[in-house]
Amino acid sequence: MTKFKGRSSLKQYMPLKPVKRGIKLWCRCDSDSGYTYDLNVYSGKESQSITDGALTLGERVVKRLASTIQEPDVCLCFDRFFTSVNLLETCGYAALGTCMSNRKNLPNVQGKLKRGESMFRSNETGLLLAKWQDTKEVLVLSNCHKPETTGILKKTKTGEQERIDCPEAIAFYRKKWVASIEQISIKVYMITTGNPQNGGKKFFIPVSTFAL
């Protein structure tokens, strides 16, 4: 969400976001450098005549941004708003993302786990659902990982580093997602309204570019 308080039909209000009012941008960024390859501006609900009714908003956004990818050897990472079984089966790229437990056609992963324990399920098309218990339950859906675990370092309450087991798909997602957040490019644009010498105002608008 790009902060914006002026008048525009593009302005959105999202009360649960840190930036509550502004212009929503869907961006495809490099997780290592933060470079923005493509972006779309959300202009509100689309009419049925120009959308595929079989796709959710998240699926349409990912497919539009992925349509401009020039190098096929990539892996797409996105959060649970976008992730679905249909998207990972049809996007045409290696992909993974955190997932809501109530998504349609998701493999069954019922049951409670202790911290550090994991569970794997797959469907008939080969999609892998990894469930891992950290301080909270984590679900990641992937079309490019195996049901294997690896070790990661986590801080304990005392601040010490502790090595615990974690599914490879979740470890890969954590690595790429944290890297993308660290590489967010924050640009400041100076907007001038009128002539500052004649009473006009100068103000700054921070524009944050986020990865999917």
Side-chain angles (χ1 to χ4, degrees), residues 1 4 7-13 22-24 41-44:
M1 181 75 83
F4 178 72
R7 294 183 180 181
S8 173
S9 60
L10 299 176
K11 188 168 69 173
Q12 303 292 319
Y13 174 63
I23 296 175
K24 185 189 293 186
V41 178
Y42 179 66
S43 57

Side-chain angles (χ1 to χ4, degrees), residues 136-182:
K136 294 182 179 180
E137 180 181 285
V138 181
L139 291 175
V140 164
L141 189 65
S142 172
N143 64 7
C144 57
H145 285 87
K146 297 179 180 180
E148 298 175 354
T149 60
T150 185
I152 63 170
L153 294 177
K154 291 276 294 183
K155 280 188 177 181
T156 63
K157 293 181 179 180
T158 61
E160 298 179 350
Q161 295 282 355
E162 177 187 19
R163 188 174 183 84
I164 61 175
D165 290 333
C166 175
E168 283 189 350
I170 295 178
F172 179 85
Y173 181 86
R174 283 166 51 88
K175 179 181 177 181
K176 291 301 180 181
W177 190 254
V178 170
S180 68
I181 296 301
E182 290 177 348

Side-chain angles (χ1 to χ4, degrees), residues 29-36 176-186 209-210:
C29 305
D30 186 275
S31 64
D32 295 325
S33 67
Y35 182 84
T36 302
K176 291 301 180 181
W177 190 254
V178 170
S180 68
I181 296 301
E182 290 177 348
Q183 293 296 334
I184 288 173
S185 341
I186 301 178
T209 304
F210 293 89

Side-chain angles (χ1 to χ4, degrees), residues 63-120:
K63 290 198 170 187
R64 285 175 184 171
L65 291 174
S67 66
T68 59
I69 294 176
Q70 301 296 316
E71 172 57 57
D73 187 19
V74 298
C75 182
L76 304 179
C77 295
F78 28 77
D79 67 22
R80 63 181 191 169
F81 175 79
F82 305 93
T83 308
S84 69
V85 171
N86 180 57
L87 177 60
L88 267 68
E89 289 179 343
T90 61
C91 68
Y93 295 95
L96 74 160
T98 51
C99 189
M100 300 179 190
S101 59
N102 60 351
R103 285 295 193 190
K104 186 184 296 185
N105 300 324
L106 204 65
N108 186 11
V109 285
Q110 297 298 325
K112 292 186 177 181
L113 302 173
K114 295 181 180 179
R115 187 170 186 266
E117 292 184 338
S118 56
M119 181 187 301
F120 300 96

Side-chain angles (χ1 to χ4, degrees), residues 120-144:
F120 300 96
R121 294 289 186 273
S122 61
N123 64 5
E124 60 278 4
T125 62
L127 290 187
L128 176 72
L129 179 65
K131 178 180 178 179
W132 179 57
Q133 187 66 42
D134 191 17
T135 52
K136 294 182 179 180
E137 180 181 285
V138 181
L139 291 175
V140 164
L141 189 65
S142 172
N143 64 7
C144 57

